[in-house]
Amino acid sequence: MNFPLFIDLKDKKVLIVGAGAIAARRATVLTEFGAKVTVVAPEAGSGVQELAQAGRIVWRQHIFGAQDLEELAQSFLVIAATSDRAVNDHIVHLCHERHIPVNHAGDQTQCDFQFPAIVQKNPVVIGVNAGGKDHGLVRRVAAGLREWIAREKF
């Protein structure tokens, strides 16, 4: 079981390697909480492209490689979200060598942290997580909380 920790991401550098749907969801949420997100991927889905065009993220349009190690080393968090497990595994290894918390989008056993479903109505933020084991349960609980919080008067 993981400890729920709420941290300030304002102006913290986050590196996401990969630019598909998972990367777009992570980048969207992270930027909403003030993170400075850089995405590295040769191609991107529409979500990442839209975020980059809106100036919400920086998209480095190339394959992750040696030129990105400094960016990785300066990152507060890293997300390995490519479609290539070997690349994701390599990124996890690089992060662990440098003591950088990393999330492997394809393998919960290699994650130093997990992303919760977020329920938010200012000033309240609720994170829902089931340890990466039951995404359906998390969706149902988060949906119920969203209905409840929408009725609350703050």
Side-chain angles (χ1 to χ4, degrees):
M1 183 179 320
N2 290 322
F3 177 76
L5 178 67
F6 288 78
I7 56 174
D8 182 5
L9 291 178
K10 184 169 177 26
D11 296 327
K12 300 280 193 312
K13 292 182 178 187
V14 176
L15 175 64
I16 301 175
V17 183
I22 292 171
R25 285 195 310 270
R26 301 293 183 247
T28 298
V29 170
L30 290 164
T31 59
E32 288 171 359
F33 284 87
K36 301 294 183 191
V37 176
T38 298
V39 172
V40 173
E43 298 177 5
S46 60
V48 167
Q49 288 180 23
E50 290 169 12
L51 289 167
Q53 289 167 356
R56 293 181 60 194
I57 66 166
V58 172
W59 173 27
R60 302 211 190 285
Q61 196 170 351
H62 60 259
I63 294 172
F64 179 84
Q67 72 273 19
D68 300 301
L69 291 179
E70 185 174 334
E71 182 91 35
L72 182 137
Q74 294 175 0
S75 296
F76 182 72
L77 300 172
V78 174
I79 300 163
T82 74
S83 58
D84 185 331
R85 182 181 177 97
V87 172
N88 292 343
D89 291 349
H90 180 64
I91 292 164
V92 168
H93 176 75
L94 292 170
C95 289
H96 285 169
E97 283 183 336
R98 293 161 176 80
H99 307 287
I100 301 165
V102 62
N103 176 280
H104 185 308
D107 184 352
Q108 291 294 317
T109 66
Q110 295 193 60
C111 291
D112 295 321
F113 63 93
Q114 296 175 335
F115 281 86
I118 295 176
V119 178
Q120 183 176 350
K121 183 175 179 183
N122 202 12
V124 175
V125 177
I126 302 167
V128 181
N129 184 285
K133 294 181 179 28
D134 193 339
H135 298 297
L137 173 63
V138 169
R139 275 192 293 278
R140 291 189 306 276
V141 170
L145 286 169
R146 286 186 186 105
E147 289 177 16
W148 167 77
I149 205 166
R151 295 188 303 269
E152 289 298 309
K153 305 228 187 289
F154 297 127

